[in-house]
Short mmCIF file of all heavy atoms in Angstrom, two decimals:
data_model
loop_
_atom_site.label_atom_id
_atom_site.label_comp_id
_atom_site.label_asym_id
_atom_site.label_seq_id
_atom_site.Cartn_x
_atom_site.Cartn_y
_atom_site.Cartn_z
N GLN A 299 33.34 0.57 -86.16
CA GLN A 299 33.79 -0.78 -86.12
C GLN A 299 33.46 -1.23 -84.64
O GLN A 299 33.50 -0.32 -83.63
CB GLN A 299 35.27 -1.00 -86.37
CG GLN A 299 35.44 -0.79 -87.85
CD GLN A 299 36.95 -1.23 -88.27
OE1 GLN A 299 37.33 -2.26 -87.93
NE2 GLN A 299 37.58 -0.44 -89.15
N PRO A 300 33.17 -2.51 -84.38
CA PRO A 300 32.70 -2.98 -83.06
C PRO A 300 33.76 -2.69 -81.91
O PRO A 300 33.38 -2.12 -80.86
CB PRO A 300 32.55 -4.41 -83.26
CG PRO A 300 32.29 -4.66 -84.61
CD PRO A 300 33.04 -3.57 -85.35
N LEU A 301 35.04 -2.72 -82.17
CA LEU A 301 36.04 -2.43 -81.10
C LEU A 301 35.94 -0.97 -80.71
O LEU A 301 35.96 -0.56 -79.50
CB LEU A 301 37.48 -2.82 -81.61
CG LEU A 301 38.58 -2.45 -80.68
CD1 LEU A 301 38.44 -3.09 -79.23
CD2 LEU A 301 39.89 -2.80 -81.31
N LEU A 302 35.79 -0.06 -81.73
CA LEU A 302 35.83 1.36 -81.52
C LEU A 302 34.54 1.72 -80.80
O LEU A 302 34.69 2.48 -79.78
CB LEU A 302 35.93 2.11 -82.83
CG LEU A 302 35.82 3.71 -82.67
CD1 LEU A 302 36.96 4.21 -81.85
CD2 LEU A 302 35.89 4.28 -84.07
N ARG A 303 33.41 1.17 -81.16
CA ARG A 303 32.24 1.55 -80.51
C ARG A 303 32.00 1.03 -79.16
O ARG A 303 31.70 1.72 -78.27
CB ARG A 303 30.95 0.99 -81.43
CG ARG A 303 29.59 1.25 -80.72
CD ARG A 303 28.45 0.88 -81.40
NE ARG A 303 28.18 1.40 -82.74
CZ ARG A 303 27.21 1.01 -83.57
NH1 ARG A 303 26.44 0.18 -83.32
NH2 ARG A 303 27.14 1.82 -84.76
N SER A 304 32.55 -0.24 -78.85
CA SER A 304 32.50 -0.71 -77.55
C SER A 304 33.36 0.03 -76.59
O SER A 304 33.09 0.38 -75.54
CB SER A 304 32.86 -2.19 -77.50
OG SER A 304 34.12 -2.40 -77.95
N PHE A 305 34.54 0.48 -77.22
CA PHE A 305 35.50 1.33 -76.35
C PHE A 305 34.82 2.62 -75.93
O PHE A 305 34.96 3.10 -74.84
CB PHE A 305 36.79 1.60 -77.20
CG PHE A 305 37.70 2.46 -76.40
CD1 PHE A 305 38.63 2.01 -75.57
CD2 PHE A 305 37.95 3.79 -76.93
CE1 PHE A 305 39.63 2.80 -74.91
CE2 PHE A 305 38.83 4.67 -76.26
CZ PHE A 305 39.67 4.14 -75.32
N ALA A 306 34.07 3.35 -77.05
CA ALA A 306 33.50 4.65 -76.73
C ALA A 306 32.32 4.48 -75.80
O ALA A 306 32.18 5.40 -74.87
CB ALA A 306 32.94 5.10 -78.19
N GLU A 307 31.61 3.30 -75.93
CA GLU A 307 30.49 3.15 -74.90
C GLU A 307 30.91 2.93 -73.53
O GLU A 307 30.36 3.47 -72.53
CB GLU A 307 29.68 2.04 -75.42
CG GLU A 307 28.83 2.13 -76.69
CD GLU A 307 27.61 3.16 -76.50
OE1 GLU A 307 27.37 3.63 -75.35
OE2 GLU A 307 27.03 3.52 -77.44
N ALA A 308 32.14 2.26 -73.44
CA ALA A 308 32.66 2.01 -72.01
C ALA A 308 33.10 3.30 -71.46
O ALA A 308 32.70 3.59 -70.27
CB ALA A 308 33.73 1.12 -72.13
N ASN A 309 33.68 4.23 -72.31
CA ASN A 309 34.14 5.44 -71.74
C ASN A 309 32.95 6.31 -71.33
O ASN A 309 33.01 7.06 -70.34
CB ASN A 309 35.06 6.09 -72.67
CG ASN A 309 36.61 5.63 -72.67
OD1 ASN A 309 37.37 6.26 -71.95
ND2 ASN A 309 36.82 4.57 -73.33
N ALA A 310 31.94 6.22 -72.07
CA ALA A 310 30.63 6.95 -71.71
C ALA A 310 30.08 6.50 -70.39
O ALA A 310 29.56 7.35 -69.58
CB ALA A 310 29.63 6.87 -72.91
N ARG A 311 30.12 5.34 -70.19
CA ARG A 311 29.59 4.69 -68.85
C ARG A 311 30.47 5.16 -67.78
O ARG A 311 29.90 5.37 -66.65
CB ARG A 311 29.47 3.12 -68.98
CG ARG A 311 28.45 2.58 -69.99
CD ARG A 311 28.41 1.14 -69.78
NE ARG A 311 27.47 0.53 -70.89
CZ ARG A 311 27.98 0.04 -71.94
NH1 ARG A 311 29.20 -0.29 -72.01
NH2 ARG A 311 27.12 -0.54 -72.81
N TYR A 312 31.79 5.26 -68.03
CA TYR A 312 32.58 5.82 -66.87
C TYR A 312 32.21 7.19 -66.47
O TYR A 312 32.19 7.52 -65.27
CB TYR A 312 33.96 5.87 -67.36
CG TYR A 312 34.67 4.52 -67.84
CD1 TYR A 312 35.81 4.57 -68.63
CD2 TYR A 312 34.11 3.36 -67.48
CE1 TYR A 312 36.33 3.33 -69.14
CE2 TYR A 312 34.61 2.23 -67.87
CZ TYR A 312 35.78 2.25 -68.79
OH TYR A 312 36.49 1.03 -69.27
N ARG A 313 31.77 8.09 -67.41
CA ARG A 313 31.51 9.42 -67.24
C ARG A 313 30.07 9.62 -66.79
O ARG A 313 29.86 10.58 -65.79
CB ARG A 313 31.70 10.17 -68.53
CG ARG A 313 31.31 11.56 -68.41
CD ARG A 313 32.09 12.35 -67.48
NE ARG A 313 33.62 12.55 -67.88
CZ ARG A 313 33.86 13.43 -68.69
NH1 ARG A 313 33.14 14.36 -69.16
NH2 ARG A 313 35.16 13.47 -69.05
N ASP A 314 29.01 8.80 -67.19
CA ASP A 314 27.72 9.13 -66.87
C ASP A 314 27.22 8.69 -65.56
O ASP A 314 26.01 8.91 -65.19
CB ASP A 314 26.77 8.76 -68.02
CG ASP A 314 26.72 7.26 -68.17
OD1 ASP A 314 27.01 6.50 -67.18
OD2 ASP A 314 26.18 6.74 -69.24
N GLY A 315 28.04 7.90 -64.84
CA GLY A 315 27.48 7.52 -63.50
C GLY A 315 26.89 6.03 -63.48
O GLY A 315 26.56 5.57 -62.41
N SER A 316 26.66 5.40 -64.58
CA SER A 316 26.13 4.16 -64.62
C SER A 316 27.03 3.08 -64.13
O SER A 316 26.56 1.98 -63.92
CB SER A 316 25.70 3.81 -66.07
OG SER A 316 26.77 3.80 -66.99
N MET A 317 28.31 3.34 -64.04
CA MET A 317 29.37 2.53 -63.41
C MET A 317 29.96 3.12 -62.20
O MET A 317 30.61 4.14 -62.37
CB MET A 317 30.27 1.96 -64.46
CG MET A 317 29.80 1.13 -65.50
SD MET A 317 31.15 0.55 -66.71
CE MET A 317 32.05 -0.52 -65.40
N ARG A 318 29.90 2.56 -61.06
CA ARG A 318 30.55 3.09 -59.86
C ARG A 318 32.00 2.81 -59.87
O ARG A 318 32.85 3.51 -59.52
CB ARG A 318 29.89 2.70 -58.64
CG ARG A 318 30.49 3.14 -57.35
CD ARG A 318 30.33 4.60 -57.13
NE ARG A 318 31.18 5.07 -56.08
CZ ARG A 318 30.86 5.02 -54.76
NH1 ARG A 318 29.74 4.37 -54.42
NH2 ARG A 318 31.54 5.47 -53.81
N PHE A 319 32.23 1.46 -60.22
CA PHE A 319 33.57 0.91 -60.28
C PHE A 319 33.96 0.29 -61.55
O PHE A 319 32.96 -0.44 -62.19
CB PHE A 319 33.74 -0.08 -59.13
CG PHE A 319 33.50 0.52 -57.64
CD1 PHE A 319 32.34 0.32 -57.07
CD2 PHE A 319 34.55 1.33 -57.18
CE1 PHE A 319 32.15 0.90 -55.80
CE2 PHE A 319 34.36 1.95 -56.01
CZ PHE A 319 33.11 1.80 -55.21
N VAL A 320 35.09 0.32 -61.96
CA VAL A 320 35.71 -0.35 -63.19
C VAL A 320 36.58 -1.49 -62.65
O VAL A 320 37.52 -1.13 -61.99
CB VAL A 320 36.41 0.49 -64.11
CG1 VAL A 320 36.85 -0.20 -65.37
CG2 VAL A 320 35.52 1.70 -64.57
N LYS A 321 36.37 -2.74 -63.10
CA LYS A 321 37.17 -3.88 -62.63
C LYS A 321 37.91 -4.49 -63.76
O LYS A 321 37.44 -4.70 -64.87
CB LYS A 321 36.21 -4.99 -61.98
CG LYS A 321 35.50 -4.44 -60.73
CD LYS A 321 34.72 -5.63 -60.15
CE LYS A 321 34.03 -5.04 -58.92
NZ LYS A 321 33.25 -6.13 -58.24
N LEU A 322 39.18 -4.48 -63.58
CA LEU A 322 40.26 -4.70 -64.64
C LEU A 322 40.87 -6.13 -64.28
O LEU A 322 41.46 -6.40 -63.24
CB LEU A 322 41.21 -3.65 -64.78
CG LEU A 322 40.68 -2.34 -64.94
CD1 LEU A 322 41.82 -1.21 -64.88
CD2 LEU A 322 39.87 -2.12 -66.20
N LEU A 323 41.22 -6.89 -65.41
CA LEU A 323 41.96 -8.14 -65.41
C LEU A 323 42.89 -8.13 -66.60
O LEU A 323 43.03 -7.17 -67.40
CB LEU A 323 41.02 -9.36 -65.43
CG LEU A 323 40.21 -9.63 -64.13
CD1 LEU A 323 39.21 -10.77 -64.46
CD2 LEU A 323 41.17 -10.06 -62.96
N ASP A 324 43.60 -9.19 -66.65
CA ASP A 324 44.68 -9.38 -67.71
C ASP A 324 44.17 -8.91 -69.04
O ASP A 324 43.22 -9.30 -69.64
CB ASP A 324 45.01 -10.86 -67.74
CG ASP A 324 46.23 -11.24 -68.49
OD1 ASP A 324 46.46 -10.65 -69.62
OD2 ASP A 324 47.00 -11.95 -68.04
N GLY A 325 45.16 -8.02 -69.68
CA GLY A 325 44.79 -7.46 -70.88
C GLY A 325 44.68 -8.47 -72.04
O GLY A 325 44.05 -8.28 -73.03
N GLY A 326 45.27 -9.62 -71.75
CA GLY A 326 45.26 -10.66 -72.82
C GLY A 326 43.92 -11.23 -72.97
O GLY A 326 43.55 -11.95 -73.95
N LEU A 327 42.91 -10.99 -72.11
CA LEU A 327 41.59 -11.52 -72.21
C LEU A 327 40.95 -11.03 -73.49
O LEU A 327 40.06 -11.63 -74.15
CB LEU A 327 40.78 -11.31 -71.06
CG LEU A 327 41.28 -11.98 -69.71
CD1 LEU A 327 40.38 -11.37 -68.55
CD2 LEU A 327 41.08 -13.37 -69.89
N VAL A 328 41.25 -9.73 -73.92
CA VAL A 328 40.57 -9.16 -75.04
C VAL A 328 41.67 -8.82 -76.22
O VAL A 328 41.33 -8.70 -77.33
CB VAL A 328 39.80 -7.95 -74.74
CG1 VAL A 328 38.63 -8.18 -73.82
CG2 VAL A 328 40.75 -6.72 -74.02
N ASP A 329 42.91 -8.81 -75.86
CA ASP A 329 43.91 -8.41 -76.87
C ASP A 329 45.40 -8.79 -76.24
O ASP A 329 45.93 -7.92 -75.48
CB ASP A 329 43.90 -6.90 -77.13
CG ASP A 329 45.15 -6.45 -77.99
OD1 ASP A 329 45.60 -7.36 -78.76
OD2 ASP A 329 45.55 -5.26 -77.85
N ASN A 330 45.90 -9.95 -76.63
CA ASN A 330 47.08 -10.27 -76.09
C ASN A 330 48.29 -9.95 -76.91
O ASN A 330 49.36 -10.27 -76.65
CB ASN A 330 47.19 -11.97 -76.08
CG ASN A 330 48.14 -12.48 -75.08
OD1 ASN A 330 48.24 -11.89 -73.92
ND2 ASN A 330 48.79 -13.53 -75.44
N PHE A 331 48.00 -8.99 -77.85
CA PHE A 331 49.17 -8.40 -78.69
C PHE A 331 49.45 -7.04 -78.24
O PHE A 331 50.44 -6.39 -78.65
CB PHE A 331 48.90 -8.45 -80.06
CG PHE A 331 48.69 -9.83 -80.69
CD1 PHE A 331 47.34 -10.37 -81.01
CD2 PHE A 331 49.76 -10.75 -80.89
CE1 PHE A 331 47.22 -11.59 -81.41
CE2 PHE A 331 49.60 -11.96 -81.42
CZ PHE A 331 48.28 -12.46 -81.69
N GLY A 332 48.54 -6.36 -77.47
CA GLY A 332 48.85 -5.14 -76.93
C GLY A 332 48.62 -4.09 -78.03
O GLY A 332 49.26 -2.93 -77.96
N LEU A 333 47.83 -4.27 -79.04
CA LEU A 333 47.71 -3.31 -80.11
C LEU A 333 46.40 -2.58 -80.13
O LEU A 333 46.16 -1.73 -81.04
CB LEU A 333 47.66 -4.14 -81.54
CG LEU A 333 49.08 -4.78 -81.93
CD1 LEU A 333 48.92 -5.65 -83.03
CD2 LEU A 333 50.07 -3.71 -82.19
N SER A 334 45.56 -2.70 -79.05
CA SER A 334 44.24 -2.16 -79.08
C SER A 334 44.31 -0.68 -79.10
O SER A 334 43.57 -0.03 -79.92
CB SER A 334 43.47 -2.66 -77.87
OG SER A 334 43.14 -4.02 -77.91
N GLY A 335 45.16 -0.02 -78.30
CA GLY A 335 45.27 1.42 -78.27
C GLY A 335 45.46 2.01 -79.65
O GLY A 335 44.82 2.90 -80.10
N PHE A 336 46.51 1.45 -80.32
CA PHE A 336 46.80 2.00 -81.66
C PHE A 336 45.75 1.60 -82.72
O PHE A 336 45.35 2.49 -83.54
CB PHE A 336 48.05 1.50 -82.08
CG PHE A 336 48.73 2.27 -83.30
CD1 PHE A 336 49.19 3.55 -83.00
CD2 PHE A 336 48.91 1.88 -84.49
CE1 PHE A 336 49.80 4.23 -84.01
CE2 PHE A 336 49.32 2.60 -85.61
CZ PHE A 336 49.88 3.86 -85.38
N SER A 337 45.09 0.54 -82.64
CA SER A 337 44.11 0.18 -83.45
C SER A 337 42.90 0.98 -83.37
O SER A 337 42.16 1.45 -84.34
CB SER A 337 43.60 -1.35 -83.20
OG SER A 337 44.66 -2.20 -83.46
N ILE A 338 42.48 1.33 -82.08
CA ILE A 338 41.44 2.35 -81.82
C ILE A 338 41.68 3.63 -82.49
O ILE A 338 40.75 4.29 -83.02
CB ILE A 338 41.10 2.29 -80.29
CG1 ILE A 338 40.54 1.06 -79.79
CG2 ILE A 338 40.14 3.57 -79.96
CD1 ILE A 338 40.48 0.90 -78.29
N ALA A 339 42.91 4.16 -82.31
CA ALA A 339 43.29 5.49 -82.86
C ALA A 339 43.16 5.50 -84.40
O ALA A 339 42.63 6.41 -84.97
CB ALA A 339 44.71 5.80 -82.47
N LEU A 340 43.50 4.36 -85.05
CA LEU A 340 43.38 4.27 -86.37
C LEU A 340 41.94 4.12 -86.89
O LEU A 340 41.57 4.75 -87.85
CB LEU A 340 44.18 3.06 -87.02
CG LEU A 340 45.68 3.04 -86.92
CD1 LEU A 340 46.26 1.65 -87.18
CD2 LEU A 340 46.17 4.06 -87.83
N MET A 341 41.18 3.49 -86.14
CA MET A 341 39.75 3.21 -86.53
C MET A 341 38.98 4.75 -86.40
O MET A 341 38.13 4.96 -87.14
CB MET A 341 39.08 2.25 -85.62
CG MET A 341 39.42 0.93 -85.84
SD MET A 341 38.83 -0.26 -84.56
CE MET A 341 39.66 -1.80 -84.83
#
């Protein structure tokens, strides 16, 4: 599923050196219910 794949790809970029810095803003921009973590685990 797209959410799971994009989450996995992001974590891979953190590890492989293609991103020097990760910039974070309000969690509500992508999930204002705070359910992403549990949804990813279910997926």
